[in-house]
Amino acid sequence: MPLSDDQPRTRTRLPVGEQSSPQQNHRQSRPLRALLAVLVVVTLLVVAIAIANRVTPGSGSGTGGGGASADRAGSGSGAGPAPSGDQPVGTTVNGIPTGYPHTEPGAQSAATNYAVAIGSADMFRTDSRHGIIATIADLGALAGLQGRLDQGFGGDTATRYGLDAQGHAPKGLTFVSRTVPVGTKSTGYSDGDAKVEVWCTGLTGLAGEHSVQPVTTNWFTLTLSLHWTGSDWKLTDYTSRQGPAPLPADQQAATADEITGAVQQFGGFRFAR
């Protein structure tokens, strides 16, 4: 029977243990939230580890990447021919590496080392020049090459660089002549003959106080013709042309003492591909 407005209403109170408390509901929700937070943290860690494993130093994706991307760069047209990976030759004659393999990379290696020898300061002294030519020249071309190189490095050429008739620098000065190959290109190859272009930069001049021939740089390309003698590649002919020369850097030139010290302290290179 419905109660009228003027009748008293009865309110039932349950026992304390059976009442739903707001604090109890809040306490029950805390473990769920903590579990969800742990799951989120674990998920983020898994994603971070996966990303880190994809970008490893050896994969070539990061700044330290070598590996496969370095190999691709070496074989691409922009970087030029990659080194063959062969060990440098183990024998020398008159300080010049000899005994190159009967391969196209072997011919390029020989041409590069012969370019270094032809551009050295020893070529301005008659005795050492003849020793170099005898080491690198094919026997059939020896006389012709010696005549050309005697004319190119002796006499007036030595005098232009301030050297005496024996190719020695004035007292207190150091004569500098170094050829530094930058790259090679094979322009012809067969089992018996090879032609190789060697792009080079060079240092030439007199280092020291009061030098009237300061050390300068120049760029040139040597073309060397080689013949396989049965045991090694030997030089039969060569030509030289200027360039290609890059734009000079905006860089402070070294003093005479600095150049002299560098020449005396830093040795030259031997090259092999």
Side-chain angles (χ1 to χ4, degrees), residues 199 219 244-251:
W199 181 32
W219 291 82
L247 187 68
D250 184 10
Q251 189 173 6

Coordinates of all heavy atoms in Angstrom, one line a residue, residues 199 219 244-251:
W199 N 96.3 9.7 -61.8 CA 96.0 11.1 -61.4 C 96.8 11.5 -60.2 O 96.7 10.7 -59.2 CB 94.5 11.3 -61.2 CG 94.1 12.7 -60.9 CD1 94.6 13.9 -61.3 CD2 93.0 13.1 -60.1 NE1 94.0 14.9 -60.8 CE2 92.9 14.5 -60.0 CE3 92.0 12.3 -59.4 CZ2 91.9 15.2 -59.3 CZ3 91.0 13.0 -58.7 CH2 91.0 14.4 -58.6
W219 N 99.0 19.7 -60.1 CA 98.2 18.5 -60.4 C 98.5 18.1 -61.8 O 98.5 18.9 -62.7 CB 96.7 18.8 -60.2 CG 96.3 19.0 -58.8 CD1 96.5 20.2 -58.0 CD2 95.7 18.1 -57.9 NE1 96.0 20.0 -56.7 CE2 95.5 18.7 -56.6 CE3 95.3 16.7 -58.0 CZ2 95.0 18.0 -55.5 CZ3 94.8 16.1 -57.0 CH2 94.6 16.7 -55.7
P244 N 93.6 17.0 -63.9 CA 92.7 18.1 -63.5 C 93.0 18.6 -62.1 O 93.3 17.8 -61.2 CB 91.3 17.3 -63.5 CG 91.6 15.9 -63.3 CD 92.9 15.7 -64.0
A245 N 92.9 19.9 -62.0 CA 93.3 20.5 -60.7 C 92.1 21.1 -60.0 O 91.2 21.8 -60.6 CB 94.3 21.7 -61.0
P246 N 91.9 20.7 -58.7 CA 90.7 21.3 -58.0 C 91.0 22.7 -57.6 O 92.1 23.3 -57.7 CB 90.7 20.4 -56.7 CG 92.1 19.9 -56.5 CD 92.7 19.8 -57.9
L247 N 89.9 23.4 -57.1 CA 90.0 24.7 -56.7 C 90.8 24.8 -55.4 O 90.6 24.1 -54.5 CB 88.6 25.3 -56.4 CG 88.5 26.8 -56.1 CD1 88.8 27.6 -57.3 CD2 87.1 27.1 -55.6
P248 N 91.8 25.7 -55.4 CA 92.7 25.8 -54.2 C 91.9 26.2 -53.0 O 90.9 27.0 -53.0 CB 93.7 26.9 -54.5 CG 93.7 27.0 -56.0 CD 92.3 26.6 -56.4
A249 N 92.2 25.6 -51.8 CA 91.5 25.9 -50.6 C 92.0 27.2 -50.0 O 93.1 27.7 -50.3 CB 91.8 24.8 -49.5
D250 N 91.1 27.9 -49.3 CA 91.5 29.1 -48.6 C 92.2 28.8 -47.3 O 91.6 28.7 -46.2 CB 90.2 29.9 -48.3 CG 90.5 31.3 -47.7 OD1 91.7 31.7 -47.7 OD2 89.5 32.0 -47.2
Q251 N 93.5 28.5 -47.4 CA 94.3 28.0 -46.3 C 95.6 28.7 -46.2 O 96.2 29.1 -47.2 CB 94.5 26.5 -46.6 CG 95.1 25.8 -45.4 CD 95.2 24.3 -45.7 OE1 94.9 23.8 -46.8 NE2 95.5 23.5 -44.7

